[in-house]
Amino acid sequence: MFKRLAGACAIAALITAGAAAPAVATTPTNTDAAAEQLELLENVLVELDPATGTIVSIRPNRGSAARISPVGPGCTTASVCLNPASGSIYYGFTDPGSLGGSWASRASWRTGSWTAQLQWRWAGSTVTGPALGPGSSSSWGGSAVTVTNVRIY
């Protein structure tokens, strides 16, 4: 986060100094690139030029950011829920934010009333899944993974 914010602030410094700002596409053609741009500008206040979509300024968001909240152990119908492979505990989360941890032996998950995204460990690598909208569910094809991050939008 600090490196991302430092990079964003460097862009803002160039803009403030009168240097040309990098153009930001208003209609991205690559959804992966759009998601990456959103991650790079996390927890900041961005002012955009309404005519061109270019960044005018970037400041740290010092407001009270919402925090993800664990529901249980256990889940509600509205919570993001990590389902166990077998004989394990269900873990539920609510409210926008991101929470790192280690939830082993997860076979599937559902978004409840939220848009959410997970990261997990598989074969020694960290994998980031797609953001899924409210009412969605997903599994790992019969495999169990260790979830390492829950992000709720």
Side-chain angles (χ1 to χ4, degrees):
M1 170 59 188
F2 178 75
K3 289 180 184 176
R4 292 177 184 168
L5 183 56
C9 290
I11 293 171
L14 288 173
I15 294 168
T16 305
V24 176
T26 55
T27 307
T29 57
N30 181 333
T31 55
D32 290 336
E36 184 177 31
Q37 286 176 353
L38 289 174
E39 286 183 3
L40 291 175
L41 298 178
E42 183 177 290
N43 203 26
V44 294
L45 297 173
V46 179
E47 181 183 349
L48 301 174
D49 181 317
T52 64
T54 57
I55 297 172
V56 175
S57 69
I58 302 171
R59 298 184 310 271
N61 185 359
R62 300 200 191 280
S64 58
R67 303 280 184 220
I68 195 170
S69 301
V71 172
C75 298
T76 67
T77 57
S79 66
V80 173
C81 187
L82 305 180
N83 302 321
S86 64
S88 193
I89 298 171
Y90 290 80
Y91 291 100
F93 306 92
T94 189
D95 300 322
S98 184
L99 181 65
S102 182
W103 298 277
S105 194
R106 303 293 102 192
S108 62
W109 70 289
R110 61 182 167 78
T111 61
S113 300
W114 299 93
T115 296
Q117 182 178 36
L118 300 182
Q119 286 185 329
W120 60 88
R121 298 287 297 162
W122 180 256
S125 296
T126 299
V127 181
T128 302
L132 300 178
S136 299
S137 62
S138 181
S139 70
W140 290 278
S143 296
V145 302
T146 297
V147 174
T148 57
N149 189 277
V150 177
R151 176 175 283 179
I152 300 176
Y153 301 92

